[in-house]
Amino acid sequence: MICFMRSCHIPEVAAIEQICFSDPWSARLLEDSLQNSWNHFWVAEEDTLGTVLGYAALSLIAGEGEIQRIAVLPVARRQGTARELMAAMERFVRENQGEALTLEVRQGNKAARNLYKSCGFAEEAIRKGYYRHPAEDAVIMWKREI
């Protein structure tokens, strides 16, 4: 089940950050970001227990949505959770008169790049040295018509 993230989700989302990212966001950063009106967060909860399996973060400014984060626990991957989170973000942008979506992804993250391509994103540019821990370029992807 996909729903908007609330403060009560922050401990589980912070734990997902620790598991999924080499440069994780802290619980404090998540809490602060949740309070900003241009930031929007979703969680994917397991139907039976309400356990958070994944989450997504989006900024919507001047008609463009920028996907900040999308993460799914390793045990819940390849079950459509990331695709459902992507659909929720796209729907939100469209319903709020947004016109496009963008994101950055590690160049070596083939699984994520393939997911985004299958969701209609196109690779448009490389941002050199964008990531640290380990150092890696970012691929900038756009979905210009939503």
Side-chain angles (χ1 to χ4, degrees), residues 1-124:
M1 176 176 76
I2 307 296
C3 63
F4 284 108
M5 187 170 114
R6 300 182 310 278
S7 291
C8 65
H9 294 119
I10 288 177
E12 286 180 277
V13 170
I16 291 170
E17 278 283 325
Q18 293 293 321
I19 293 166
C20 294
F21 295 108
S22 61
D23 195 9
W25 288 1
S26 68
R28 175 71 178 179
L29 178 63
L30 289 163
E31 183 70 43
D32 290 347
S33 296
L34 193 57
Q35 304 309 315
N36 290 328
S37 62
W38 58 82
N39 291 331
H40 309 279
F41 292 81
W42 292 262
V43 293
E45 293 181 311
E46 185 178 47
D47 289 336
T48 54
L49 301 174
T51 303
V52 176
L53 301 175
Y55 93 103
L58 168 88
S59 292
L60 180 59
I61 302 171
E64 290 182 350
E66 181 178 357
I67 297 172
Q68 301 288 319
R69 293 289 226 220
I70 185 164
V72 175
L73 288 172
V75 298
R77 291 182 185 159
R78 306 196 63 75
Q79 297 173 26
T81 304
R83 190 172 301 281
E84 289 176 22
L85 288 163
M86 294 290 292
M89 288 187 285
E90 183 174 338
R91 199 168 33 255
F92 180 84
V93 170
R94 190 173 38 253
E95 289 169 356
N96 287 277
Q97 289 72 51
E99 300 173 0
L101 275 166
T102 188
L103 58 85
E104 288 116 359
V105 60
R106 282 184 180 273
Q107 193 168 33
N109 191 342
K110 302 282 188 206
R113 288 171 60 191
N114 288 336
L115 169 69
Y116 304 143
K117 286 177 186 177
S118 75
C119 290
F121 284 77
E123 296 181 354
E124 293 194 8

